[in-house]
Amino acid sequence: MAEIIQRDGTWAFDGDALRLTPGRDRNVSLLRRTLGELVVPLGALAGVSFEQGKKSGRLRLRLRDGADPLLHASGGRLTEPNDPYQLLVESDRYGVAEYFVDEVRSALLLDEVPSEPVTGYLLPGPSVPLSVSAGDGTASFDGEHVRLEWNWKTEDAKAAAGTRTLAVTDLLGVEWQPAVGLENGHLRFVVRGAQTKAPAKYDPHSVELWGFKKDPLMALVAAAVQARLPHPSAATAEEPPGELPEAPRDDPDALLRRLRELGELHRTGVLTDEEFRMTKQAILKRM
C-alpha cells in the first residue's frame, strides 16, 4: 500500500487501483470537489511522473487514450487546478512522492499494462443526476436525458426556442470548450439531424460560457453524457476498409495551444520522446 496525504488531496495505491481523493483546502478547485473521489484501475494508466519544484512539486498520472470520458470530453483543455490527475506535493513530502511513483511504475511493469489506446471506457464518468448553471443557461443530465434551460442573459432568439430536452439516443456527440481570452467557450450537444455551425450564443443545443468560476463544471456534464455515448474507437472501427475519414476541421489556435501543452509535458518528463514525436506529428497533420 502506497499513500501520500497532502492539503491538495490524498492518493492511495493498493496494487490494483489508485484512489484519488480531493483535499478540503480552500485552494482545491470547485470541479475537483464536485467530481469527488476517483478510483482509477491500474489497467487505465499509461504512466506516472513526479516533478520537483523549489517550494512544491507535482504528481501526474497519464491515462491511456480513451480510458476516461472526462479526458475525452474536455479534450485536454482542463487547466492544472481542475485536472483530477495532478496532485500538488509539499517539499517535505518529495521522498513519499518518489516512492509512490516507484510503486505504481513497478506494478505497471509487473502487470505488463500496455500504453496503447483502449476500446472502451475504464472509468464510469461523473455521477448522475448532475445539474450545472453557468453562462447563459443550466444543463442537467439524469443518465438518459439532457435538459437545457435558459436565463435572463440568453440571446432572445435562442431563448424563444424554450427549454430543450434531448435524449441520449438522439445525440451524436458532446463537446466542451472553455473560454480563452476574449473567445467565449461552450457546452454543445450534437443532435442527430440538427447539426449546426451556429455560434453557441444562437444554438439552442448549446450553453455559451464566458469564463466564470462554474464554467469547468460544464465539463462534468459533458463527461457524464460522453460516458453513455458509443466509445470513440467504435467510429474508427466502423470506417469502410480502404477509405480514409475526412480530416477534422480543428481550430488552429486550439491546436497551437495543444502543441504548447505537449511541449510542457515533454519537458517535464510526462511524455517520452517517442510519445511526444508521434503526438506532435498527429496534431501537425490536423493543422
Side-chain angles (χ1 to χ4, degrees):
M1 179 78 174
E3 184 178 55
I4 180 166
I5 302 173
Q6 295 290 275
R7 288 181 298 176
D8 193 40
T10 298
W11 285 13
F13 177 57
D14 62 6
D16 295 318
L18 292 97
R19 190 174 297 273
L20 316 180
T21 307
R24 297 181 179 180
D25 188 79
R26 61 185 179 85
N27 292 323
V28 176
S29 74
L30 180 60
L31 181 145
R32 289 179 57 207
R33 295 199 303 267
T34 303
L35 182 59
E37 185 177 83
L38 286 175
V39 178
V40 183
L42 183 65
L45 283 185
V48 58
S49 66
F50 175 59
E51 308 151 18
Q52 292 190 16
K54 291 183 179 180
K55 296 183 179 180
S56 62
R58 194 172 293 273
L59 271 170
R60 298 179 189 265
L61 294 181
R62 183 164 53 88
L63 272 61
R64 296 169 65 186
D65 287 345
D68 181 21
L70 174 60
L71 292 183
H72 181 78
S74 61
R77 292 182 287 266
L78 288 175
T79 57
E80 279 192 353
N82 294 311
D83 188 344
Y85 302 113
Q86 298 188 31
L87 181 70
L88 201 63
V89 179
E90 297 164 14
S91 58
D92 61 347
R93 290 293 182 269
Y94 282 2
V96 179
E98 291 169 347
Y99 170 75
F100 189 92
V101 168
D102 289 342
E103 288 293 293
V104 176
R105 285 178 175 171
S106 296
L108 288 170
L109 288 173
L110 288 174
D111 283 29
E112 298 182 343
V113 176
S115 59
E116 289 81 7
V118 299
T119 57
Y121 293 122
L122 300 180
L123 281 86
S127 301
V128 295
L130 184 61
S131 182
V132 176
S133 296
D136 68 351
T138 297
S140 305
F141 182 54
D142 62 6
E144 296 182 356
H145 295 87
V146 174
R147 182 180 175 86
L148 301 177
E149 301 172 87
W150 313 118
N151 57 38
W152 65 272
K153 295 171 284 188
T154 308
E155 182 70 22
D156 290 343
K158 185 163 91 171
T163 299
R164 312 294 289 183
T165 300
L166 310 172
V168 169
T169 52
D170 292 332
L171 298 180
L172 296 176
V174 57
E175 57 187 42
W176 172 78
Q177 173 74 50
V180 179
L182 298 177
E183 181 182 350
N184 291 340
H186 63 257
L187 172 68
R188 186 189 302 274
F189 297 94
V190 183
V191 181
R192 182 177 286 105
Q195 295 95 314
T196 177
K197 294 183 180 180
K201 182 177 184 178
Y202 303 106
D203 180 8
H205 299 143
S206 300
V207 176
E208 186 180 32
L209 305 174
W210 300 312
F212 296 147
K213 183 178 179 180
K214 289 188 176 181
D215 282 14
L217 296 183
M218 285 294 187
L220 299 183
V221 178
V225 173
Q226 184 65 55
R228 290 158 177 81
L229 295 176
H231 191 269
S233 64
T236 304
E238 292 171 2
E239 290 292 341
E243 295 185 19
L244 294 176
E246 182 181 355
R249 297 179 176 88
D250 290 293
D251 178 2
D253 290 337
L255 293 176
L256 287 173
R257 289 195 298 270
R258 183 60 178 151
L259 281 175
R260 287 194 290 269
E261 292 170 357
L262 288 172
E264 179 64 16
L265 291 175
H266 179 239
R267 185 185 67 79
T268 55
V270 177
L271 292 179
T272 65
D273 292 343
E274 180 65 15
E275 289 169 335
F276 174 68
R277 183 185 65 80
M278 293 179 65
T279 309
K280 179 180 176 181
Q281 286 180 351
I283 291 178
L284 289 176
K285 287 180 180 179
R286 291 167 65 181
M287 294 179 70

